[in-house]
Amino acid sequence: MEKKVAVLPGDGIGPEVTEAAVKVLEVIARRFNHTFHVEYGTIGGDAIDKHQNPLPDETVKLCEASDAVLLGAVGGPKWDQNPSALRPEKGLLAIRKHFDLFANLRPVKAVPSLLHASPLKEEVAKDVDMMIVRELTGGLYFGEPSRRTADAAVDSLVYTREEIERIVVKSFEIARLRRGKVASVDKANVLESSKLWREVVEEKKKAYPDVEVEHMLVDSTAMKLITNPAAFDVVVTENMFGDILSDEASVITGSLGVLPSASIRSDGFGLYEPVHGSAPEIAGLGMANPAAAILSAAMMLKYSFKMETEASAIEEAVNTVFEDGFFTADLAASGQRVLSTKEWTEKVIDELDTQFVSNSIMFSYV
Ligand code: IPM
Ligand code: MN
């Protein structure tokens, strides 16, 4: 297959981790006879510095001409004092909105070899395997009016029935491919938008009798994510709740550095990025964990290109490298050898090569 990938490295550790992901994609292309045309664009602080715009038109055009987008991270202290139109985060919000990427998928899965780094007890964290489905283009992030004066400020939480319907249906579809359970999270004891959310869930679930649906309030969900995270399968929620709960859930597995995400719309186009931020304190030091970016590239293969086998090959290689005890600084236990971003990426590539060799031996027997 031939695909065009727009790579937007962004700020901080973004360039280092996307470089790692692109290297892995090159190996996949060679092994599976695909061609990935990779082109680079600017976003976030990098784009503010070069074009005085966190999402320049050139970048939008590049993404429009591509089949998928791979993004590093945006933000950093350098731009913290900027007026809101010139903040790096604006670039991310604008690209999500422009491309109507309403469904944000954030898988959180425990990896046995990383449990030592989890803040939770091993027996609580070990069976965690959930998919957070966050609505990404509505709610408080985009509602109007949104403004402030010196002594007052307003943000608006707006959702239309249609916006809720499409994300809820998406979560049911995903649940069908997993364990068939959806926790729909809201604050229906207080918010009107949540009451509408619940109503839509009740209506839409009729077409999915095989999916078990539970309504949960966001405050008790925050608690249960710590006390019994393994109970969750699919969690579907609005934009702001999803932002907060996904950061909470992300640390369960040991490191934010291993979690990928996909932001997709209905036709398969998507933007893929690590859940972690730009980590300015370690930027340029070559020590960032590239696992989340590499796994985001795997999600791109799976969700945008329907290359399931290729995506699994990457996931398996990443898991094996962890199981073999190779870690970057964020995950290494004291006394353990610490690998650089490049060294760790090489391990993944070696592992992909090993997989390929053993697969071809298997084929030669058949
Ligand atoms: C995320 C981030 C963004 C968000 C920021 C950077 C705007 O925290 O992707 O979760 O709040 O959506
Ligand atoms: Mn966030």
Side-chain angles (χ1 to χ4, degrees):
M1 254 190 235
E2 204 168 329
K3 296 285 179 191
K4 262 190 92 170
V5 180
V7 177
L8 313 179
D11 309 321
I13 58 170
E16 299 157 60
V17 298
T18 44
E19 186 188 326
V22 169
K23 272 202 190 127
V24 170
L25 282 176
E26 282 164 2
V27 175
I28 293 291
R30 261 203 321 275
R31 293 307 191 200
F32 291 86
N33 280 321
H34 299 305
T35 308
F36 298 132
H37 300 283
V38 173
E39 273 189 59
Y40 290 83
T42 58
I43 193 167
D46 176 39
I48 293 171
D49 289 350
K50 291 175 182 149
H51 307 280
Q52 293 74 53
N53 181 350
L55 182 66
D57 292 345
E58 297 92 306
T59 300
V60 172
K61 285 200 188 96
L62 168 68
C63 298
E64 277 169 351
S66 303
D67 299 299
V69 181
L70 187 66
L71 188 144
V74 298
K78 183 173 175 196
W79 306 279
D80 273 355
Q81 304 311 320
N82 283 14
S84 62
L86 284 180
R87 287 199 54 123
E89 294 80 4
K90 264 272 154 32
L92 191 54
L93 299 181
I95 198 170
R96 289 172 179 171
K97 193 72 176 174
H98 179 89
F99 288 97
D100 198 24
L101 306 172
F102 70 93
N104 183 222
L105 316 184
R106 298 187 164 182
V108 178
K109 192 167 178 201
V111 180
S113 46
L114 302 187
L115 284 177
H116 66 272
S118 172
L120 300 186
K121 290 191 195 105
E122 198 164 324
E123 67 265 26
V124 177
K126 75 178 185 352
D127 296 320
V128 169
D129 181 1
M130 73 179 99
M131 175 70 91
I132 299 184
V133 180
R134 168 188 175 194
E135 200 292 326
L136 202 60
T137 49
L140 273 173
Y141 278 62
F142 298 97
E144 292 293 339
S146 169
R147 58 171 177 263
R148 64 160 295 176
T149 59
D151 300 313
V154 57
D155 291 298
S156 306
L157 207 180
V158 183
Y159 268 109
T160 64
R161 182 177 289 276
E162 205 187 334
E163 281 175 314
I164 303 171
E165 279 173 358
R166 62 181 184 172
I167 192 74
V168 163
V169 167
K170 186 89 200 165
S171 75
F172 289 168
E173 294 289 341
I174 290 172
R176 267 194 173 157
L177 303 173
R178 298 171 48 96
R179 303 194 302 279
K181 274 172 57 179
V182 172
S184 170
V185 177
D186 61 38
K187 187 71 184 173
N189 52 348
V190 179
L191 301 175
E192 288 305 320
S193 54
S194 288
K195 288 175 196 154
L196 177 61
W197 184 281
R198 245 179 220 219
E199 200 179 296
V200 171
V201 171
E202 281 302 302
E203 194 187 298
K204 288 288 156 193
K205 81 174 194 193
K206 290 181 197 142
Y208 294 84
D210 50 324
V211 174
E212 185 191 317
V213 182
E214 185 187 4
H215 297 284
M216 292 185 65
L217 295 172
V218 63
D219 47 356
S220 63
T221 306
M223 227 161 54
K224 196 168 165 189
L225 274 174
I226 299 300
T227 54
N228 189 13
F232 292 99
D233 180 15
V234 174
V235 176
V236 63
T237 191
E238 61 92 47
N239 203 344
M240 182 66 133
F241 296 160
D243 179 44
I244 298 167
L245 294 179
S246 61
D247 260 33
E248 184 189 358
S250 71
V251 293
I252 296 172
T253 53
S255 168
L256 191 53
V258 302
L259 292 174
S261 81
S263 303
I264 55 181
R265 61 183 191 205
S266 330
D267 66 356
F269 181 84
L271 178 147
Y272 299 83
E273 59 174 321
V275 171
H276 65 68
S278 62
E281 61 294 349
I282 58 161
L285 300 180
M287 61 187 283
N289 185 347
I294 292 172
L295 291 171
S296 296
M299 284 188 96
M300 176 175 86
L301 298 181
K302 178 170 171 181
Y303 289 96
S304 282
F305 304 163
K306 305 278 172 261
M307 297 177 182
E308 303 262 349
T309 314
E310 292 83 335
S312 306
I314 297 179
E315 282 165 14
E316 206 184 305
V318 165
N319 279 339
T320 308
V321 171
F322 284 138
E323 268 165 35
D324 289 348
F326 296 113
F327 302 110
T328 42
D330 53 324
L331 285 169
S334 70
Q336 222 168 11
R337 186 172 155 222
V338 173
L339 270 68
S340 70
T341 309
K342 286 205 164 91
E343 286 169 331
W344 198 84
T345 307
E346 278 310 314
K347 292 283 175 205
V348 173
I349 291 171
D350 289 349
E351 192 48 45
L352 282 168
D353 287 340
T354 312
Q355 269 180 23
F356 188 76
V357 171
S358 52
N359 283 347
S360 41
I361 292 170
M362 255 165 51
F363 291 139
S364 66
Y365 280 112
V366 220

